[in-house]
Amino acid sequence: MQNPLLGVFFHWLGGLFSASFYVPYKQIKGWSWEIFWLTGGVFSWLICPWLFAWIQTQQLFDVLSTTSFSVLQQCFLWGLGWGLGGLTFGLAVRYMGISSGMAIVLGLTTVLGTLGPPVFDGTIGKVLATPSGQFAILGTFLTLLGVILVARATAEKNRSTGAQSEGAIDMKKGLLIALFSGVMSSCFAFGIAAGKPIRELTLAAGTDHLWQGLPVLCVVLAGGLTTNALWCAWLIHKNRSAAEFSGYTHNQSQRLGSDRMIKNYLLAALGGSFWYFQFFFYTMGESHMGDYEFSSWTIHMASIIIFSTLWGLALLEWKGANRKSRLLLLAGISLLVMSTILIGVGNSLQ
């Protein structure tokens, strides 16, 4: 039985894991970014998706082998595009500053990832004609406003504490990159939507509705793995950092101890698994959202920002911030929480 409010709770859990995945990465020592990102990514995009889909679903390989090639291709390509969006997010913030870059990228991702699927499949009219759909649309735009306020709050905090972003501001270049990143980052939602035939086959094979989205993740995340692995491979070649996998430092002048290496691999595995669990719970939440499952993307994005901000407060990143930035932050987070609850209540009216 579908329960949209329970779905919102699952999306909150996904947001918590998404906001937490980088915490273990920060404890890794002696590795370049591309080394720990690729190592953790093997767990995020390969091991965890296939392991949990194999455990929780029925006839996984039969389901995927009977899925049409065009569906698998769409899911994979959407995942490929989403990977490009994630890789360019940092560049957008670098060239535009955190306020403008974050607002444009996350705003575009939220709106396109939520409203894009019903627009393209021709159901947007049906959505707008019902109270539940109207609640979902309103929640999406409340989330957009919340994103803007949180971005403004972060920029004001950096200004008041003197923690300005590094690098020269280039608004023209930054805007192009931010638009690209925002559009491509929304591809994940399109990939999930394209996987509907896989979910139907999964249910027909006897899988409980709660786990129907797990096989879809295997295909979409394969696309994300491809993009990130190619980028990391290029950086490893460029920076000559491959020796770090076996414990040597960048210039190979010394070697990390076995304890440190074991800890690095375990931390990368933990961070990568945390990253995967955001979408593990996303599919669980989506399974409870009924006809307006597209609204899951808005709740997901809002939850990530909420818990990322809470982590920032817990780690004292807002220490010394002025009153204006804190008020903007409170207003933004309040809107984000309100938007997720509003969508859950609206979906309950179905």
Side-chain angles (χ1 to χ4, degrees):
M1 181 177 180
Q2 293 171 343
N3 184 339
L5 293 180
L6 179 59
V8 170
F9 174 72
F10 285 137
H11 283 307
W12 280 352
L13 284 178
L16 175 60
F17 274 102
S18 178
S20 305
F21 87 93
Y22 216 87
V23 175
Y25 285 169
K26 288 184 176 181
Q27 305 304 314
I28 293 175
K29 307 296 182 183
W31 276 3
S32 301
W33 177 88
E34 60 270 20
I35 301 300
F36 73 73
W37 189 255
L38 182 58
T39 304
V42 169
F43 286 86
S44 302
W45 309 310
L46 182 62
I47 295 176
C48 285
W50 286 96
L51 176 62
F52 284 98
W54 178 68
I55 293 172
Q56 296 295 95
T57 64
Q58 303 293 321
Q59 303 175 37
L60 171 64
F61 298 106
D62 288 340
V63 166
L64 292 177
S65 64
T66 54
T67 301
S68 70
F69 177 76
S70 63
V71 170
L72 295 175
Q73 183 183 52
Q74 288 179 56
C75 291
F76 178 83
L77 290 176
W78 285 121
L80 203 72
W82 161 77
L84 290 172
L87 289 173
T88 51
F89 175 73
L91 282 176
V93 173
R94 172 188 171 188
Y95 286 118
M96 296 196 73
I98 194 166
S99 178
S100 300
M102 180 177 165
I104 291 175
V105 174
L106 296 184
L108 265 177
T109 300
T110 299
V111 173
L112 292 178
T114 304
L115 300 182
V119 168
F120 279 96
D121 66 19
T123 60
I124 189 67
K126 177 184 175 182
V127 170
L128 293 172
T130 63
S132 293
Q134 292 162 9
F135 269 80
I137 302 300
L138 178 59
T140 298
F141 285 102
L142 283 180
T143 298
L144 178 60
L145 181 57
V147 167
I148 294 172
L149 287 177
V150 170
R152 290 287 301 276
T154 305
E156 178 63 24
K157 182 262 293 185
N158 288 345
R159 187 195 65 78
S160 67
T161 60
Q164 300 292 336
S165 58
E166 298 180 357
I169 299 296
D170 186 336
M171 293 301 291
K172 184 177 180 180
K173 182 184 293 184
L175 180 59
L176 292 175
I177 296 173
L179 290 173
F180 177 83
S181 178
V183 171
M184 300 308 288
S185 294
S186 69
C187 287
F188 200 98
F190 286 88
I192 295 294
K196 186 176 180 179
I198 301 177
R199 295 199 298 273
E200 292 172 347
L201 288 171
T202 302
L203 290 172
T207 297
D208 185 272
H209 84 284
L210 194 61
W211 314 115
Q212 61 180 292
L214 296 184
V216 182
L217 290 181
C218 294
V219 186
V220 177
L221 291 177
L225 171 63
T226 302
T227 305
N228 282 271
L230 288 173
W231 176 246
C232 288
W234 183 82
L235 288 177
I236 290 170
H237 173 74
K238 176 187 176 184
N239 299 329
R240 299 180 179 179
S241 53
E244 295 177 19
F245 282 118
S246 57
Y248 288 99
T249 55
H250 177 65
N251 56 15
Q252 299 191 25
S253 61
Q254 59 181 359
R255 191 171 185 177
L256 299 177
S258 58
D259 289 347
R260 181 70 258 174
M261 285 296 294
I262 291 173
K263 186 176 291 186
N264 278 0
Y265 275 107
L266 289 176
L267 287 168
L270 182 63
S273 299
F274 274 17
W275 189 97
Y276 165 74
F277 276 118
Q278 67 170 308
F279 288 115
F280 177 83
F281 286 108
Y282 178 94
T283 59
M284 293 172 66
E286 186 185 45
S287 71
H288 277 285
M289 301 309 288
D291 292 338
Y292 301 102
E293 58 189 21
F294 70 88
S295 60
S296 291
W297 190 251
T298 288
I299 303 174
H300 179 67
M301 296 302 300
S303 300
I304 291 174
I305 300 168
I306 291 168
F307 288 107
S308 295
T309 303
L310 292 178
W311 265 116
L313 292 170
L315 296 174
L316 304 180
E317 292 178 359
W318 288 77
K319 184 178 180 180
N322 61 13
R323 184 170 181 269
K324 179 180 178 181
S325 66
R326 292 178 180 273
L327 288 175
L328 284 170
L329 181 66
L330 177 61
I333 294 299
S334 298
L335 280 176
L336 292 171
V337 172
M338 187 188 308
S339 69
T340 64
I341 296 174
L342 184 68
I343 292 172
V345 171
N347 283 17
S348 298
L349 298 176
Q350 294 180 64

